[in-house]
Amino acid sequence: GGGEFLLADGAKIVNNMDKDVLKRLYEGKVRISVSNLDLNFLDMLPQDMKSGAMDSLEDLVLKAVAPKFDMDLEMVFGADQTNPYRLQ
């Protein structure tokens, strides 16, 4: 066997949440991570090229991935503070 099954209806959960809690989550910029891209090869680039390469990869991922999500998508390097080259 196998197959897909629904664990939770996200829209229903959000609609049932206390609006003050939702406001605090939004204002606190609480986010979910939908992607973890470890781009450790960037560390091998000369220092003066890293920033430009990171910006270019971030733009490329946003253009390729963002249209697949029906939400605002923000990609940030090092957001989880464990890997400066992890794009989330």
Side-chain angles (χ1 to χ4, degrees):
E4 296 181 19
F5 59 93
L6 181 66
L7 290 177
D9 181 340
K12 194 174 194 178
I13 291 170
V14 170
N15 284 331
N16 290 332
M17 287 181 72
D18 182 275
K19 300 308 175 208
D20 289 331
V21 171
L22 290 173
K23 183 179 178 191
R24 286 197 318 267
L25 290 172
Y26 181 80
E27 289 173 350
K29 297 190 179 214
V30 173
R31 302 291 185 260
I32 61 167
S33 177
V34 297
S35 171
N36 291 304
L37 301 173
D38 288 339
L39 305 172
N40 296 333
F41 67 88
L42 291 166
D43 193 35
M44 292 187 254
L45 295 175
Q47 193 62 37
D48 62 334
M49 293 179 65
K50 285 182 187 179
S51 179
M54 290 170 79
D55 289 344
S56 295
L57 285 169
E58 186 176 344
D59 288 342
L60 176 66
V61 169
L62 281 172
K63 288 177 183 167
V65 176
K68 298 180 183 348
F69 292 92
D70 187 23
M71 66 176 107
D72 291 335
L73 186 64
E74 177 184 28
M75 299 299 289
V76 178
F77 274 102
D80 68 359
Q81 300 179 357
T82 62
N83 181 347
Y85 304 110
R86 176 172 292 143
L87 185 59
Q88 297 178 297

mmCIF file of all heavy atoms in Angstrom, residues 15-45:
data_model
loop_
_atom_site.group_PDB
_atom_site.id
_atom_site.type_symbol
_atom_site.label_atom_id
_atom_site.label_comp_id
_atom_site.label_asym_id
_atom_site.label_seq_id
_atom_site.Cartn_x
_atom_site.Cartn_y
_atom_site.Cartn_z
ATOM 1 N N ASN A 15 -7.479 29.856 10.067
ATOM 2 C CA ASN A 15 -8.775 30.518 10.265
ATOM 3 C C ASN A 15 -9.304 30.346 11.682
ATOM 4 O O ASN A 15 -10.047 31.199 12.182
ATOM 5 C CB ASN A 15 -9.808 29.992 9.265
ATOM 6 C CG ASN A 15 -9.578 30.567 7.883
ATOM 7 O OD1 ASN A 15 -9.070 31.662 7.730
ATOM 8 N ND2 ASN A 15 -9.946 29.802 6.868
ATOM 9 N N ASN A 16 -8.921 29.261 12.352
ATOM 10 C CA ASN A 16 -9.382 29.011 13.717
ATOM 11 C C ASN A 16 -8.481 29.609 14.786
ATOM 12 O O ASN A 16 -8.825 29.596 15.963
ATOM 13 C CB ASN A 16 -9.534 27.504 13.968
ATOM 14 C CG ASN A 16 -10.698 26.915 13.206
ATOM 15 O OD1 ASN A 16 -11.678 27.591 12.919
ATOM 16 N ND2 ASN A 16 -10.588 25.645 12.863
ATOM 17 N N MET A 17 -7.334 30.134 14.379
ATOM 18 C CA MET A 17 -6.400 30.702 15.356
ATOM 19 C C MET A 17 -6.868 32.062 15.844
ATOM 20 O O MET A 17 -7.509 32.820 15.107
ATOM 21 C CB MET A 17 -4.997 30.840 14.747
ATOM 22 C CG MET A 17 -4.277 29.535 14.583
ATOM 23 S SD MET A 17 -2.618 29.737 13.890
ATOM 24 C CE MET A 17 -1.759 30.474 15.283
ATOM 25 N N ASP A 18 -6.502 32.369 17.061
ATOM 26 C CA ASP A 18 -6.781 33.684 17.644
ATOM 27 C C ASP A 18 -6.097 34.753 16.790
ATOM 28 O O ASP A 18 -4.920 34.635 16.462
ATOM 29 C CB ASP A 18 -6.254 33.720 19.080
ATOM 30 C CG ASP A 18 -6.546 35.026 19.764
ATOM 31 O OD1 ASP A 18 -5.734 35.962 19.584
ATOM 32 O OD2 ASP A 18 -7.574 35.113 20.458
ATOM 33 N N LYS A 19 -6.825 35.774 16.427
ATOM 34 C CA LYS A 19 -6.304 36.810 15.523
ATOM 35 C C LYS A 19 -5.146 37.580 16.149
ATOM 36 O O LYS A 19 -4.241 38.025 15.448
ATOM 37 C CB LYS A 19 -7.420 37.779 15.094
ATOM 38 C CG LYS A 19 -8.575 37.096 14.363
ATOM 39 C CD LYS A 19 -8.113 36.237 13.212
ATOM 40 C CE LYS A 19 -9.275 35.494 12.589
ATOM 41 N NZ LYS A 19 -8.906 34.244 11.976
ATOM 42 N N ASP A 20 -5.146 37.743 17.483
ATOM 43 C CA ASP A 20 -4.023 38.413 18.137
ATOM 44 C C ASP A 20 -2.745 37.579 18.017
ATOM 45 O O ASP A 20 -1.651 38.117 17.848
ATOM 46 C CB ASP A 20 -4.338 38.690 19.615
ATOM 47 C CG ASP A 20 -5.377 39.789 19.791
ATOM 48 O OD1 ASP A 20 -5.445 40.682 18.911
ATOM 49 O OD2 ASP A 20 -6.102 39.756 20.790
ATOM 50 N N VAL A 21 -2.875 36.268 18.108
ATOM 51 C CA VAL A 21 -1.722 35.385 17.949
ATOM 52 C C VAL A 21 -1.189 35.493 16.526
ATOM 53 O O VAL A 21 0.020 35.606 16.304
ATOM 54 C CB VAL A 21 -2.088 33.918 18.283
ATOM 55 C CG1 VAL A 21 -0.961 32.975 17.907
ATOM 56 C CG2 VAL A 21 -2.454 33.782 19.755
ATOM 57 N N LEU A 22 -2.078 35.470 15.549
ATOM 58 C CA LEU A 22 -1.653 35.602 14.151
ATOM 59 C C LEU A 22 -0.934 36.928 13.919
ATOM 60 O O LEU A 22 0.082 36.986 13.219
ATOM 61 C CB LEU A 22 -2.851 35.492 13.213
ATOM 62 C CG LEU A 22 -3.484 34.109 13.104
ATOM 63 C CD1 LEU A 22 -4.755 34.177 12.270
ATOM 64 C CD2 LEU A 22 -2.507 33.116 12.522
ATOM 65 N N LYS A 23 -1.446 37.986 14.522
ATOM 66 C CA LYS A 23 -0.834 39.302 14.376
ATOM 67 C C LYS A 23 0.581 39.297 14.964
ATOM 68 O O LYS A 23 1.512 39.819 14.349
ATOM 69 C CB LYS A 23 -1.692 40.367 15.060
ATOM 70 C CG LYS A 23 -1.166 41.765 14.900
ATOM 71 C CD LYS A 23 -2.068 42.790 15.571
ATOM 72 C CE LYS A 23 -1.464 44.166 15.415
ATOM 73 N NZ LYS A 23 -2.113 45.152 16.243
ATOM 74 N N ARG A 24 0.754 38.691 16.135
ATOM 75 C CA ARG A 24 2.077 38.628 16.758
ATOM 76 C C ARG A 24 3.045 37.793 15.916
ATOM 77 O O ARG A 24 4.214 38.137 15.779
ATOM 78 C CB ARG A 24 1.979 38.068 18.183
ATOM 79 C CG ARG A 24 1.382 39.055 19.169
ATOM 80 C CD ARG A 24 1.643 38.685 20.628
ATOM 81 N NE ARG A 24 1.489 37.283 20.955
ATOM 82 C CZ ARG A 24 0.369 36.719 21.410
ATOM 83 N NH1 ARG A 24 -0.723 37.440 21.581
ATOM 84 N NH2 ARG A 24 0.339 35.436 21.700
ATOM 85 N N LEU A 25 2.558 36.694 15.350
ATOM 86 C CA LEU A 25 3.402 35.871 14.479
ATOM 87 C C LEU A 25 3.854 36.671 13.257
ATOM 88 O O LEU A 25 5.025 36.631 12.864
ATOM 89 C CB LEU A 25 2.658 34.616 14.029
ATOM 90 C CG LEU A 25 2.405 33.559 15.092
ATOM 91 C CD1 LEU A 25 1.488 32.477 14.546
ATOM 92 C CD2 LEU A 25 3.703 32.966 15.583
ATOM 93 N N TYR A 26 2.923 37.395 12.675
ATOM 94 C CA TYR A 26 3.232 38.183 11.483
ATOM 95 C C TYR A 26 4.212 39.307 11.821
ATOM 96 O O TYR A 26 5.216 39.498 11.132
ATOM 97 C CB TYR A 26 1.949 38.758 10.876
ATOM 98 C CG TYR A 26 2.198 39.569 9.638
ATOM 99 C CD1 TYR A 26 2.407 38.952 8.415
ATOM 100 C CD2 TYR A 26 2.247 40.960 9.690
ATOM 101 C CE1 TYR A 26 2.654 39.682 7.274
ATOM 102 C CE2 TYR A 26 2.499 41.707 8.558
ATOM 103 C CZ TYR A 26 2.696 41.074 7.350
ATOM 104 O OH TYR A 26 2.950 41.821 6.234
ATOM 105 N N GLU A 27 3.912 40.041 12.879
ATOM 106 C CA GLU A 27 4.771 41.170 13.251
ATOM 107 C C GLU A 27 6.148 40.708 13.720
ATOM 108 O O GLU A 27 7.139 41.415 13.539
ATOM 109 C CB GLU A 27 4.092 42.005 14.339
ATOM 110 C CG GLU A 27 2.900 42.779 13.808
ATOM 111 C CD GLU A 27 2.099 43.493 14.892
ATOM 112 O OE1 GLU A 27 2.348 43.237 16.096
ATOM 113 O OE2 GLU A 27 1.225 44.290 14.523
ATOM 114 N N GLY A 28 6.220 39.507 14.301
ATOM 115 C CA GLY A 28 7.500 38.957 14.726
ATOM 116 C C GLY A 28 8.268 38.298 13.598
ATOM 117 O O GLY A 28 9.347 37.759 13.793
ATOM 118 N N LYS A 29 7.684 38.330 12.405
ATOM 119 C CA LYS A 29 8.291 37.759 11.195
ATOM 120 C C LYS A 29 8.614 36.276 11.357
ATOM 121 O O LYS A 29 9.650 35.799 10.918
ATOM 122 C CB LYS A 29 9.511 38.549 10.768
ATOM 123 C CG LYS A 29 9.165 39.977 10.378
ATOM 124 C CD LYS A 29 10.321 40.673 9.735
ATOM 125 C CE LYS A 29 9.871 42.070 9.355
ATOM 126 N NZ LYS A 29 10.473 42.553 8.165
ATOM 127 N N VAL A 30 7.708 35.552 12.022
ATOM 128 C CA VAL A 30 7.861 34.108 12.133
ATOM 129 C C VAL A 30 7.631 33.524 10.753
ATOM 130 O O VAL A 30 6.660 33.837 10.079
ATOM 131 C CB VAL A 30 6.861 33.520 13.157
ATOM 132 C CG1 VAL A 30 6.905 32.000 13.160
ATOM 133 C CG2 VAL A 30 7.145 34.083 14.535
ATOM 134 N N ARG A 31 8.562 32.683 10.305
ATOM 135 C CA ARG A 31 8.497 32.145 8.954
ATOM 136 C C ARG A 31 8.696 30.635 8.988
ATOM 137 O O ARG A 31 9.245 30.085 9.935
ATOM 138 C CB ARG A 31 9.587 32.747 8.073
ATOM 139 C CG ARG A 31 9.526 34.272 7.965
ATOM 140 C CD ARG A 31 8.300 34.718 7.176
ATOM 141 N NE ARG A 31 8.281 36.140 6.956
ATOM 142 C CZ ARG A 31 7.571 37.006 7.663
ATOM 143 N NH1 ARG A 31 6.852 36.593 8.669
ATOM 144 N NH2 ARG A 31 7.595 38.284 7.377
ATOM 145 N N ILE A 32 8.289 29.988 7.919
ATOM 146 C CA ILE A 32 8.567 28.565 7.752
ATOM 147 C C ILE A 32 9.647 28.425 6.688
ATOM 148 O O ILE A 32 9.788 29.280 5.818
ATOM 149 C CB ILE A 32 7.304 27.766 7.328
ATOM 150 C CG1 ILE A 32 6.772 28.277 5.979
ATOM 151 C CG2 ILE A 32 6.246 27.818 8.410
ATOM 152 C CD1 ILE A 32 5.743 27.371 5.356
ATOM 153 N N SER A 33 10.394 27.375 6.784
ATOM 154 C CA SER A 33 11.414 27.096 5.778
ATOM 155 C C SER A 33 10.864 26.044 4.830
ATOM 156 O O SER A 33 10.532 24.940 5.248
ATOM 157 C CB SER A 33 12.686 26.583 6.452
ATOM 158 O OG SER A 33 13.631 26.247 5.481
ATOM 159 N N VAL A 34 10.754 26.406 3.572
ATOM 160 C CA VAL A 34 10.235 25.464 2.571
ATOM 161 C C VAL A 34 11.362 24.880 1.732
ATOM 162 O O VAL A 34 11.133 24.004 0.918
ATOM 163 C CB VAL A 34 9.184 26.119 1.645
ATOM 164 C CG1 VAL A 34 7.970 26.555 2.437
ATOM 165 C CG2 VAL A 34 9.775 27.289 0.879
ATOM 166 N N SER A 35 12.565 25.381 1.949
ATOM 167 C CA SER A 35 13.694 24.938 1.138
ATOM 168 C C SER A 35 14.985 25.153 1.906
ATOM 169 O O SER A 35 15.161 26.171 2.574
ATOM 170 C CB SER A 35 13.725 25.751 -0.155
ATOM 171 O OG SER A 35 14.896 25.513 -0.871
ATOM 172 N N ASN A 36 15.878 24.206 1.835
ATOM 173 C CA ASN A 36 17.224 24.333 2.396
ATOM 174 C C ASN A 36 18.208 23.932 1.312
ATOM 175 O O ASN A 36 18.305 22.757 0.961
ATOM 176 C CB ASN A 36 17.411 23.424 3.605
ATOM 177 C CG ASN A 36 16.601 23.864 4.784
ATOM 178 O OD1 ASN A 36 16.713 24.993 5.239
ATOM 179 N ND2 ASN A 36 15.770 22.981 5.293
ATOM 180 N N LEU A 37 18.916 24.907 0.794
ATOM 181 C CA LEU A 37 19.908 24.638 -0.250
ATOM 182 C C LEU A 37 21.295 24.933 0.306
ATOM 183 O O LEU A 37 21.643 26.086 0.553
ATOM 184 C CB LEU A 37 19.643 25.519 -1.482
ATOM 185 C CG LEU A 37 18.275 25.365 -2.128
ATOM 186 C CD1 LEU A 37 18.083 26.416 -3.210
ATOM 187 C CD2 LEU A 37 18.115 23.970 -2.699
ATOM 188 N N ASP A 38 22.069 23.892 0.552
ATOM 189 C CA ASP A 38 23.431 24.070 1.034
ATOM 190 C C ASP A 38 24.348 24.309 -0.162
ATOM 191 O O ASP A 38 24.627 23.397 -0.935
ATOM 192 C CB ASP A 38 23.885 22.845 1.824
ATOM 193 C CG ASP A 38 23.194 22.742 3.171
ATOM 194 O OD1 ASP A 38 22.693 23.775 3.661
ATOM 195 O OD2 ASP A 38 23.158 21.637 3.741
ATOM 196 N N LEU A 39 24.791 25.532 -0.300
ATOM 197 C CA LEU A 39 25.616 25.945 -1.439
ATOM 198 C C LEU A 39 27.047 26.171 -0.977
ATOM 199 O O LEU A 39 27.650 27.224 -1.193
ATOM 200 C CB LEU A 39 25.020 27.211 -2.071
ATOM 201 C CG LEU A 39 23.540 27.076 -2.489
ATOM 202 C CD1 LEU A 39 22.974 28.409 -2.932
ATOM 203 C CD2 LEU A 39 23.379 26.030 -3.569
ATOM 204 N N ASN A 40 27.604 25.148 -0.311
ATOM 205 C CA ASN A 40 28.918 25.256 0.317
ATOM 206 C C ASN A 40 30.048 25.505 -0.671
ATOM 207 O O ASN A 40 31.111 25.991 -0.270
ATOM 208 C CB ASN A 40 29.209 23.996 1.138
ATOM 209 C CG ASN A 40 28.239 23.856 2.293
ATOM 210 O OD1 ASN A 40 27.711 24.845 2.787
ATOM 211 N ND2 ASN A 40 27.993 22.635 2.716
ATOM 212 N N PHE A 41 29.841 25.204 -1.940
ATOM 213 C CA PHE A 41 30.879 25.468 -2.934
ATOM 214 C C PHE A 41 31.216 26.955 -3.004
ATOM 215 O O PHE A 41 32.305 27.336 -3.450
ATOM 216 C CB PHE A 41 30.468 24.957 -4.327
ATOM 217 C CG PHE A 41 29.312 25.700 -4.929
ATOM 218 C CD1 PHE A 41 29.524 26.836 -5.680
ATOM 219 C CD2 PHE A 41 28.015 25.262 -4.718
ATOM 220 C CE1 PHE A 41 28.457 27.533 -6.233
ATOM 221 C CE2 PHE A 41 26.941 25.950 -5.271
ATOM 222 C CZ PHE A 41 27.156 27.083 -6.023
ATOM 223 N N LEU A 42 30.300 27.813 -2.539
ATOM 224 C CA LEU A 42 30.555 29.252 -2.545
ATOM 225 C C LEU A 42 31.774 29.616 -1.701
ATOM 226 O O LEU A 42 32.436 30.611 -1.953
ATOM 227 C CB LEU A 42 29.328 30.017 -2.041
ATOM 228 C CG LEU A 42 28.114 30.004 -2.972
ATOM 229 C CD1 LEU A 42 26.873 30.491 -2.233
ATOM 230 C CD2 LEU A 42 28.380 30.843 -4.202
ATOM 231 N N ASP A 43 32.060 28.805 -0.688
ATOM 232 C CA ASP A 43 33.198 29.075 0.194
ATOM 233 C C ASP A 43 34.525 28.984 -0.549
ATOM 234 O O ASP A 43 35.518 29.555 -0.118
ATOM 235 C CB ASP A 43 33.175 28.099 1.373
ATOM 236 C CG ASP A 43 34.119 28.521 2.480
ATOM 237 O OD1 ASP A 43 34.275 29.743 2.697
ATOM 238 O OD2 ASP A 43 34.711 27.629 3.120
ATOM 239 N N MET A 44 34.560 28.270 -1.673
ATOM 240 C CA MET A 44 35.795 28.103 -2.451
ATOM 241 C C MET A 44 36.081 29.300 -3.352
ATOM 242 O O MET A 44 37.183 29.421 -3.891
ATOM 243 C CB MET A 44 35.721 26.832 -3.290
ATOM 244 C CG MET A 44 35.726 25.568 -2.464
ATOM 245 S SD MET A 44 35.839 24.113 -3.510
ATOM 246 C CE MET A 44 34.180 23.504 -3.392
ATOM 247 N N LEU A 45 35.095 30.176 -3.527
ATOM 248 C CA LEU A 45 35.294 31.342 -4.392
ATOM 249 C C LEU A 45 36.177 32.371 -3.705
ATOM 250 O O LEU A 45 36.195 32.472 -2.475
ATOM 251 C CB LEU A 45 33.940 31.988 -4.716
ATOM 252 C CG LEU A 45 32.968 31.171 -5.544
ATOM 253 C CD1 LEU A 45 31.643 31.921 -5.666
ATOM 254 C CD2 LEU A 45 33.536 30.867 -6.909
#
